Amino acid sequence: MSIRPPAFPPAAVRAFLLEHDEVREYLPDADQITTRETPREFTRPVLVLRAQSTVGPDPMLRRPIVQATAVCPRWEILGGDVDPEVLAWRIAWIVAEAATRAPQQSHEGWRWKVNDWLSGPSSEVDLTRGHDHPLYVSPVRLELKMWDRRHQT
């Protein structure tokens, strides 16, 4: 049996979310869902996906934790009728709900499924860009179960 690294968990979740209609209602463009950093300047919501950790006593259990963080700029930039803090929370909830309810997925030769919705959404205000540029942030944490498609677990 050969050893090969698993698919990058945030990329696997991103691929799923890009195909999910309810998620795309809030994040219609592919560049709004990223495995990179929050853009320096943006005028609409974004979702940042990050690998946080792997849980379990054996690393071969492949139970990575992915954090999905919805981020919205202040109301004057975002526009619309929904408070950006509320919008970030709703996006985080929709993302977690969609991923948790999804059947088994496949990405880059690996299968995955959300094993547990660990936490969130929570509501935070990020002032690292200054008090004039608050970011309304709402993270959720999901534990995935991943396995090589060549082997059933």
Side-chain angles (χ1 to χ4, degrees):
M1 179 170 95
S2 63
I3 298 173
R4 67 185 189 118
F8 184 52
V13 173
R14 181 179 186 270
F16 164 75
L17 295 173
L18 288 173
E19 300 299 321
H20 198 278
D21 291 339
E22 283 92 358
V23 172
R24 296 306 294 271
E25 285 181 30
Y26 289 92
L27 305 164
D29 298 323
D31 66 346
Q32 289 179 270
I33 304 173
T34 184
T35 60
R36 306 270 183 226
E37 63 279 342
T38 303
R40 185 72 194 136
E41 294 183 22
F42 61 105
T43 59
R44 53 202 175 138
V46 297
L47 183 72
V48 179
L49 300 164
R50 292 273 189 234
Q52 293 293 302
S53 178
T54 300
V55 295
D58 181 350
M60 295 306 287
L61 288 176
R62 297 182 193 98
R63 294 190 188 265
I65 295 173
V66 172
Q67 181 167 307
T69 304
V71 184
C72 290
R74 71 181 195 266
W75 211 332
E76 295 81 6
I77 293 172
L78 185 64
D81 298 335
V82 180
D83 181 302
E85 185 174 19
V86 172
L87 183 57
W89 189 92
R90 286 180 182 164
I91 291 169
W93 188 89
I94 289 285
V95 163
E97 187 71 20
T100 300
R101 289 181 179 220
Q104 181 183 111
Q105 301 292 308
S106 183
H107 185 74
E108 295 179 355
W110 287 77
R111 294 179 193 218
W112 68 274
K113 181 161 181 44
V114 172
N115 191 55
D116 197 9
W117 179 342
L118 298 174
S119 65
S122 61
S123 183
E124 305 167 13
V125 181
D126 178 352
L127 297 174
T128 58
R129 297 182 184 197
H131 289 285
D132 292 341
H133 299 286
L135 298 178
Y136 298 91
V137 178
S138 189
V140 292
R141 294 177 69 233
L142 304 170
E143 177 188 315
L144 277 54
K145 179 178 181 185
M146 296 186 84
W147 61 98
D148 191 330
R149 259 192 347 197
R150 299 176 298 177
H151 310 286
Q152 291 293 332
T153 57

